[in-house]
Amino acid sequence: MVTEKRILVSPSLLSADFTRLGEEVREVQESGADWLHLDVMDGRFVPNITIGPLVVSAVKRVSTIPLDVHLMIVEPDLYLEQFQTAGADILTVHPEATHHLHRTLTRIRELGMKAGAALNPSTGLESVMHVLAELDVVMLMTVNPGFGGQSFIRTMLPKVRALREIIDQSGYEILIEIDGGVSPGTAPDLAMEGADVFVAGSAVFGHPPYDEVIRKLRCEGLSTHS
Ligand code: DX5
Ligand code: ZN
């Protein structure tokens, strides 16, 4: 069947100008962003340290769209309530970072947020196969997490297609989000393989005007096969 669906764009604030964070948030919102992606890194799960709940709550005060919070931290269970209080709408954890993914996802939903699982490039889809009922989003990493501006790993394209098939056959409404190296150059292939949401940091904040790049990332007019 040939269908046309609306791709969602979630600009990653990691590549924004932090000296003018509020303005950057307003600008991407006015430029058509659907979600705002916030990358939380602890220097343990990934080799970088970024922001925590304090910055998430500051962004919440100026945002009008859902906050898509990506936890790249060990022991995420210890911080779920803090991120809920800070204003996260979608909270995504890495299965590699929690011993009991089912429990973590269940708790995220109990707290009233949408639950996501983010898979490193080397992590197989089996890690989410038995928790599909608990998931709103599966995020496929197309770079090794830790930094913005890295090159897209093209060999991840078949993984997107395989996940699309698993989700479609499951009957659950789960969005496939792609994070890492997404640009107007890589987005069309990802859309063709069945992606629903694009995170983009350097491609948006490094290439103004934001409305133009966000429009390109949506891949409008591209017919995707499902
Ligand atoms: C990387 C982060 C990404 C990052 C993407 O670990 O999870 O969200 O900001 O940056 P780009 O779009 O520049 O690859
Ligand atoms: Zn991210």
Side-chain angles (χ1 to χ4, degrees):
M1 192 175 65
V2 178
T3 52
E4 215 184 289
K5 70 177 175 200
R6 188 171 187 276
I7 299 264
L8 304 180
V9 179
S10 187
S12 169
L13 293 176
L14 193 60
S15 293
D17 177 353
F18 270 64
T19 63
R20 344 174 354 262
L21 194 54
E23 281 166 58
E24 293 273 66
V25 166
R26 282 189 204 97
E27 253 183 76
V28 284
Q29 285 179 169
E30 282 163 18
S31 301
D34 298 284
W35 298 351
L36 286 172
H37 188 84
L38 293 108
D39 290 297
V40 177
M41 306 186 191
D42 65 353
R44 295 188 62 208
F45 182 69
V46 289
N48 195 8
I49 301 175
T50 56
I51 60 159
L54 185 75
V55 174
V56 174
S57 66
V59 169
K60 188 71 178 178
R61 289 199 289 279
V62 288
S63 76
T64 53
I65 56 180
L67 299 192
D68 169 29
V69 178
H70 179 190
L71 298 185
M72 284 160 275
I73 61 175
V74 297
E75 299 187 278
D77 305 70
L78 300 178
Y79 303 96
L80 304 180
E81 279 86 356
Q82 280 194 50
F83 283 100
Q84 182 242 9
T85 306
D89 295 283
I90 304 134
L91 196 60
T92 296
V93 298
H94 276 259
E96 306 92 348
T98 174
H99 292 302
H100 306 288
L101 181 62
H102 182 278
R103 178 185 291 152
T104 308
L105 297 173
T106 306
R107 183 72 188 132
I108 292 173
R109 279 186 167 173
E110 274 172 13
L111 289 167
M113 297 175 283
K114 302 256 188 231
L119 309 188
N120 284 338
S122 64
T123 301
L125 297 175
E126 318 80 69
S127 61
V128 290
M129 286 293 280
H130 301 286
V131 291
L132 294 177
E134 270 59 57
L135 281 165
D136 299 292
V137 175
V138 175
M139 186 192 294
L140 296 183
M141 296 303 303
T142 42
V143 296
N144 288 293
F147 303 93
Q150 301 183 82
S151 300
F152 177 68
I153 303 174
R154 274 200 82 75
T155 49
M156 292 298 119
L157 284 170
K159 192 176 181 186
V160 181
R161 165 59 48 183
L163 178 60
R164 177 80 274 154
E165 282 165 14
I166 290 167
I167 290 173
D168 288 351
Q169 281 165 20
S170 76
Y172 291 112
E173 285 198 22
I174 301 171
L175 294 172
I176 300 179
E177 184 169 13
I178 309 295
D179 188 5
V182 179
S183 69
T186 57
D189 285 345
L190 288 160
M192 285 299 292
E193 299 304 331
D196 300 300
V197 186
F198 288 144
V199 175
S202 49
V204 171
F205 291 100
H207 295 87
Y210 301 154
D211 57 346
E212 212 167 282
V213 62
I214 289 172
R215 186 178 47 75
K216 286 186 191 152
L217 289 170
R218 259 190 238 294
C219 303
E220 273 161 10
L222 184 84
S223 291
T224 55
H225 292 261
S226 60

